[in-house]
């Protein structure tokens, strides 16, 4: 049959289906973009370090790509020969805490990696709060750990 304006109804139906298809395509693209934005917003991207220790090494909080993702990962820069003179290197083996936290001591040219809340809390406790740099780093670490604990409590109940 012929519809209003002398056009075939089949052509109008085709136009409606085309418009619906375009609307669904646009909606799906917006949903996918929203999911990408949500995923990115949940990723920690830190452009500034947490702080520096007494040797001038910067410490970074990094969102890990590998497991355990729910634990904090703090990386410490290697020691610099310009900043440290005659420092005895720590033992090279990793120590493991009861909750699965791990600390990997580093040499002068290795990055140090702290995994888990207990390892990060031990790092914070080892910092001298009388020093300006280490007190700032300690406060940043404690603030980060406290924030993670509050997020975990909010998610659980």
């Amino acid at each position: 049959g012929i519809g209003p304006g002398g056009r075939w109804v089949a052509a109008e139906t085709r136009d409606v289906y085309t418009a619906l298809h375009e609307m669904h395509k646009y909606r799906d693209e917006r949903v996918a973009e929203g999911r990408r934005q949500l995923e990115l917003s949940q990723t920690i991207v830190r452009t500034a370090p947490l702080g520096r220790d007494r040797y001038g090494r910067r410490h970074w909080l990094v969102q890990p790509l590998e497991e355990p993702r729910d634990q904090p990962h703090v990386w410490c820069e290697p020691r610099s020969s310009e900043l440290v003179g005659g420092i005895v290197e720590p033992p090279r083996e990793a120590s493991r805490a009861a909750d699965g936290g791990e600390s990997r001591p580093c040499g002068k040219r290795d990055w140090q990696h702290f995994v888990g809340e207990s390892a990060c809390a031990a790092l914070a406790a080892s910092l001298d709060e009388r020093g300006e740099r280490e007190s700032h780093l300690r406060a940043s670490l404690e603030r980060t750990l406290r924030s993670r604990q509050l997020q975990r409590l909010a998610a659980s109940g």
Side-chain angles (χ1 to χ4, degrees):
I2 297 179
R7 296 182 58 195
W8 286 93
V9 176
E12 290 175 347
T13 305
R14 183 196 67 219
D15 293 343
V16 168
Y17 278 110
T18 302
L20 280 173
H21 175 71
E22 291 298 318
M23 285 176 31
H24 288 296
K25 182 179 173 184
Y26 177 75
R27 184 197 64 202
D28 292 344
E29 288 172 355
R30 298 293 298 158
V31 168
E33 178 62 25
R35 286 185 180 140
R36 279 192 297 273
Q37 291 297 325
L38 179 62
E39 187 177 310
L40 286 174
S41 71
Q42 294 173 345
T43 302
I44 298 173
V45 178
R46 189 167 185 93
T47 57
L50 288 169
R52 292 179 180 260
D53 62 14
R54 70 189 81 163
Y55 305 113
R57 298 178 300 181
R58 293 179 291 188
H59 291 68
W60 304 84
L61 178 66
V62 178
Q63 174 82 25
L65 298 175
E66 72 280 346
E67 296 295 328
R69 290 188 64 140
D70 60 334
Q71 294 292 322
H73 288 246
V74 174
W75 286 87
C76 172
E77 288 181 334
R79 297 180 194 179
S80 171
S81 60
E82 296 85 40
L83 296 174
V84 182
I87 298 296
V88 177
E89 289 198 22
R92 307 266 314 158
E93 71 277 355
S95 62
R96 194 170 290 280
D99 70 349
E102 185 176 343
S103 170
R104 296 187 185 117
C106 64
K108 288 185 179 181
R109 291 179 179 81
D110 298 329
W111 282 80
Q112 191 168 6
H113 187 199
F114 298 91
V115 181
E117 290 186 15
S118 63
C120 293
L123 170 63
S126 73
L127 298 170
D128 187 359
E129 54 191 22
R130 295 174 295 174
E132 185 176 333
R133 286 186 294 215
E134 287 196 5
S135 64
H136 172 73
L137 175 58
R138 182 177 183 155
S140 293
L141 279 168
E142 289 172 346
R143 203 171 29 254
T144 299
L145 293 173
R146 202 169 27 255
S147 171
R148 293 182 71 85
Q149 290 169 348
L150 290 175
Q151 287 174 355
R152 193 171 46 253
L153 284 174
S156 67

